[in-house]
Amino acid sequence: MMQANDVFKRYSRQIFIEEIGVEGQRDIGNAKVLVVGAGGLGSPVIQYLAAAGVGTLAVVDFDDVEIHNLNRQVIHRESTVGQPKTESAADFIRDFNSHITFIPICQKIDRENVQDLIRDYDIVVDGSDNFTTRYIVNDACVVLNKPLVYGSIFAFEGQVTVFNFRGSKNLRDLFPEAPNPEDVPNCDRHGVLGPLPGIVGTMMAMQVLKMITGLPIVINQLTIVDTLNWKFMTITF
């Protein structure tokens, strides 16, 4: 276990921030965050929340690591190809920050288990790659009154927002119904440039840390990141 002085050394550069301080770092260490998906978005979220010292960090995913994941899913390695992504993520955490509690959940989220999976966590981060899961997670967060950090990516473009935070709107207020999966482009068919999920996932991690430490969160606003034309736009909903 890290001693108090070691904790300060490790997290000193964020403790030095006036708006964080020792109390903020204590809040980070006491926080419980669930990340849905250990893929392109989940990887940078897991990296930066672990780096910040989030005390209890869980990830739920049922896929295995494949070689084509490695252009963007940066917590996985050639040596973990074929392993469950949750197991690969746990290996990463053991080497990166062994002093936090990491809970790998190798399971597919569905309407029957979603509330049990998210119930014990303060914040849920949706890094999933399909609308079925997004709506299942969103609806459970509404029922259980859990704040949800949402992100999505495609090719050169990403989206980030916060749902269900202190009375704010949720996914169905922005998109009332899930689109037909056949009508939605996805990375498997159309690709994605590796750094894009890094950008969007890091933005999601920042929102989580701001929530934990009580920093201002803009609600009911979708940020669109267009990396091809290098534009950042916001839409109020």
Side-chain angles (χ1 to χ4, degrees), residues 4 44 55-56 66 75 88 90 137-138 151 170 180 193 198 207 210 212:
T56 301
E66 299 181 65
I75 62 173
S88 177
V137 171
N138 173 81
N170 68 80
N180 186 327
L193 196 59
Q207 293 288 62
K210 288 174 67 180
I212 293 170

Side-chain angles (χ1 to χ4, degrees), residues 175-192:
F175 305 115
E177 298 294 334
N180 186 327
E182 297 301 317
D183 298 332
V184 179
N186 61 55
C187 297
D188 286 342
R189 286 182 290 173
H190 298 91
V192 61

Side-chain angles (χ1 to χ4, degrees), residues 153-158 185-187 190-197 225 227-228:
I153 52 171
F154 169 68
F156 295 96
E157 185 175 296
N186 61 55
C187 297
H190 298 91
V192 61
L193 196 59
L196 174 66
V225 180
T227 60
L228 183 61

Side-chain angles (χ1 to χ4, degrees), residues 19 165-166 206-207 210-211 213-219:
E19 292 85 352
F165 180 65
R166 295 181 178 172
M206 178 66 84
Q207 293 288 62
K210 288 174 67 180
M211 281 186 191
T213 55
L215 295 173
I217 298 288
V218 176
I219 60 173

Side-chain angles (χ1 to χ4, degrees), residues 34-46:
L34 174 68
V35 181
V36 179
L41 290 173
S43 288
V45 171
I46 291 166

Side-chain angles (χ1 to χ4, degrees), residues 9-226:
K9 286 180 180 178
R10 179 163 195 148
Y11 304 117
S12 61
R13 295 311 185 267
Q14 57 200 44
I15 292 172
F16 290 159
I17 300 171
E18 183 178 353
E19 292 85 352
I20 304 294
V22 173
E23 286 301 316
Q25 188 61 48
R26 185 174 290 117
D27 290 338
I28 293 170
N30 290 332
K32 298 179 179 181
V33 179
L34 174 68
V35 181
V36 179
L41 290 173
S43 288
V45 171
I46 291 166
Q47 277 187 317
Y48 278 99
L49 295 186
V54 168
T56 301
L57 184 59
V59 62
V60 55
D61 198 304
F62 68 99
D63 281 337
D64 294 337
V65 180
E66 299 181 65
I67 191 69
H68 66 80
N69 298 148
L70 301 184
N71 86 308
R72 65 200 181 281
Q73 301 182 18
V74 291
I75 62 173
H76 307 302
R77 302 170 302 285
E78 291 181 2
S79 62
T80 64
V81 169
Q83 292 182 8
K85 288 184 180 178
T86 51
E87 183 180 321
S88 177
D91 288 343
F92 169 81
I93 292 294
R94 275 191 291 270
D95 288 339
F96 185 61
N97 191 347
S98 61
H99 303 285
I100 66 172
T101 298
F102 183 73
I103 303 172
I105 306 168
C106 190
Q107 193 170 348
K108 184 175 182 178
I109 285 186
D110 57 35
R111 295 195 183 279
E112 283 66 45
N113 64 18
V114 61
Q115 291 193 28
D116 288 336
L117 288 173
I118 73 175
R119 192 182 308 277
D120 294 334
Y121 297 92
D122 306 316
I123 300 169
V124 179
V125 184
D126 181 9
S128 62
D129 61 0
N130 66 88
F131 277 96
T132 299
T133 302
R134 289 171 189 162
Y135 279 83
I136 288 172
V137 171
N138 173 81
D139 294 347
C141 285
V142 171
V143 170
L144 297 177
N145 196 29
K146 302 286 185 180
L148 174 64
V149 178
Y150 170 92
S152 65
I153 52 171
F154 169 68
F156 295 96
E157 185 175 296
Q159 299 179 354
V160 183
T161 192
V162 170
F163 292 128
N164 205 50
F165 180 65
R166 295 181 178 172
S168 72
K169 296 178 180 179
N170 68 80
L171 176 61
R172 291 191 184 274
D173 293 307
L174 182 59
F175 305 115
E177 298 294 334
N180 186 327
E182 297 301 317
D183 298 332
V184 179
N186 61 55
C187 297
D188 286 342
R189 286 182 290 173
H190 298 91
V192 61
L193 196 59
L196 174 66
I199 294 168
V200 175
T202 302
M203 294 171 70
M204 295 166 72
M206 178 66 84
Q207 293 288 62
V208 173
L209 294 173
K210 288 174 67 180
M211 281 186 191
I212 293 170
T213 55
L215 295 173
I217 298 288
V218 176
I219 60 173
N220 302 333
Q221 189 177 88
L222 179 72
T223 299
I224 299 173
V225 180
D226 176 0

